[in-house]
Amino acid sequence: MAVQYPNPQIEPVVDYVASCKLPTPFGVFTMHGFEEQDSRREHVVLTMGDVADGLPVLARLHSECLTGDALFSLRCDCGFQLEAALDAIAKEGRGALLYLRQEGRGIGLINKIRAYKLQDGGADTVEANEQLGFPADMRDFRVARHMLDALNIKSVRVMTNNPRKLETLKNAGIDVVERVPLMVGRNPHNDHYLDTKAAKLGHMLFS
């Protein structure tokens, strides 16, 4: 298999690298770079305001989606959620967006394209992953805990529509105090995708 996946038995070790200012259409953020020692995967956190004051931080833990985030795909709601999360943080004046390099729920970009081809043939998003020999979701959020610790973020109010994700984050050692809905991006191209996430993955979505 070309893509190397994290070993769930081995705790990831993440190094802080550097920070810089990042002007965006939503406001000026500070971007913090991190690198995993073993895999050399690179991740970033965008912060705004004082996130190290001990109070819960409005946060989005966003897994990379090149097609949705950068190529404007309408097959998913990822790009819409990314923009909505940045906008929500900017309006609050304080928050953090963790951008985690685990494309396609952890299966990688090329396998995600293969999964899309299976979906073109009638499979849903869960069935496509399983037909390729993967679980429905392979993401590992333990790396996020180390990034939050490095930024002295003690607890988070997570922007997500996925209640199961909250349990995953808590199991990773992240103190989640609230789920904040992020209802954006439904369109005719992703109706089936979103309905599958609700029916098979437990997402709480609007109709």
Side-chain angles (χ1 to χ4, degrees), residues 34-112:
F34 294 85
E35 186 176 53
E36 293 184 48
Q37 287 186 0
D38 290 342
S39 68
R40 314 315 298 180
R41 287 195 304 177
E42 298 167 333
H43 310 275
V44 299
V45 183
L46 303 185
T47 63
M48 181 178 286
D50 183 2
V51 296
D53 58 7
L55 298 175
V57 173
L58 180 65
R60 166 77 179 163
L61 282 75
H62 190 90
S63 296
E64 179 182 29
C65 176
L66 177 70
T67 49
D69 298 340
L71 301 179
F72 313 107
S73 171
L74 297 177
R75 298 185 70 133
C76 64
D77 55 346
C78 301
F80 300 101
Q81 289 188 323
L82 177 62
E83 293 190 16
L86 291 172
D87 186 51
I89 290 169
K91 286 177 177 175
E92 189 153 311
R94 177 177 176 272
L97 185 136
L98 287 72
Y99 197 86
L100 306 172
R101 305 297 298 279
Q102 40 190 5
E103 178 79 48
R105 298 201 198 106
I107 69 174
L109 178 60
I110 298 303
N111 283 322
K112 178 180 172 181

Side-chain angles (χ1 to χ4, degrees), residues 5 9 27 40 54 67 75 78 83 97 100 103 107 120 144 150 154 157-158 169-170 174 183 189 196 203:
Y5 303 104
Q9 305 303 318
R40 314 315 298 180
T67 49
R75 298 185 70 133
C78 301
E83 293 190 16
L97 185 136
L100 306 172
E103 178 79 48
I107 69 174
D120 288 343
K154 303 300 185 185
R157 300 161 47 224
V158 177
L169 298 181
K170 291 174 182 177
I174 297 171
M183 304 295 195
H189 299 281
T196 299
H203 289 223

Side-chain angles (χ1 to χ4, degrees), residues 2-206:
V3 179
Q4 296 298 311
Y5 303 104
N7 186 333
Q9 305 303 318
I10 299 176
E11 185 73 14
V13 179
V14 183
D15 292 325
Y16 164 78
V17 180
S19 299
C20 67
K21 295 298 180 185
L22 185 71
T24 77
F26 309 99
V28 179
F29 290 81
T30 301
M31 181 166 63
H32 312 272
F34 294 85
E35 186 176 53
E36 293 184 48
Q37 287 186 0
D38 290 342
S39 68
R40 314 315 298 180
R41 287 195 304 177
E42 298 167 333
H43 310 275
V44 299
V45 183
L46 303 185
T47 63
M48 181 178 286
D50 183 2
V51 296
D53 58 7
L55 298 175
V57 173
L58 180 65
R60 166 77 179 163
L61 282 75
H62 190 90
S63 296
E64 179 182 29
C65 176
L66 177 70
T67 49
D69 298 340
L71 301 179
F72 313 107
S73 171
L74 297 177
R75 298 185 70 133
C76 64
D77 55 346
C78 301
F80 300 101
Q81 289 188 323
L82 177 62
E83 293 190 16
L86 291 172
D87 186 51
I89 290 169
K91 286 177 177 175
E92 189 153 311
R94 177 177 176 272
L97 185 136
L98 287 72
Y99 197 86
L100 306 172
R101 305 297 298 279
Q102 40 190 5
E103 178 79 48
R105 298 201 198 106
I107 69 174
L109 178 60
I110 298 303
N111 283 322
K112 178 180 172 181
I113 295 172
R114 294 187 177 110
Y116 276 170
K117 180 176 177 61
L118 291 172
Q119 291 172 43
D120 288 343
D124 65 35
T125 182
V126 171
E127 293 165 347
N129 274 27
E130 292 174 343
Q131 288 176 28
L132 290 172
F134 302 114
D137 195 335
M138 292 183 59
R139 291 175 294 179
D140 185 349
F141 288 101
R142 293 174 302 167
V143 63
R145 186 189 78 238
H146 294 291
M147 294 159 69
L148 293 170
D149 287 346
L151 297 173
N152 203 29
I153 295 175
K154 303 300 185 185
S155 60
V156 290
R157 300 161 47 224
V158 177
M159 288 181 276
T160 182
N161 301 323
N162 183 3
R164 296 182 190 178
K165 185 177 185 179
L166 302 186
E167 283 303 311
T168 302
L169 298 181
K170 291 174 182 177
N171 290 337
I174 297 171
D175 184 10
V176 179
V177 300
E178 181 185 0
R179 182 184 77 87
V180 179
L182 200 58
M183 304 295 195
V184 293
R186 182 178 283 271
N187 66 76
H189 299 281
N190 66 19
D191 266 336
H192 184 53
Y193 164 82
L194 293 176
D195 290 343
T196 299
K197 288 208 297 185
K200 293 190 174 182
L201 300 175
H203 289 223
M204 300 177 68
L205 302 173
F206 59 97

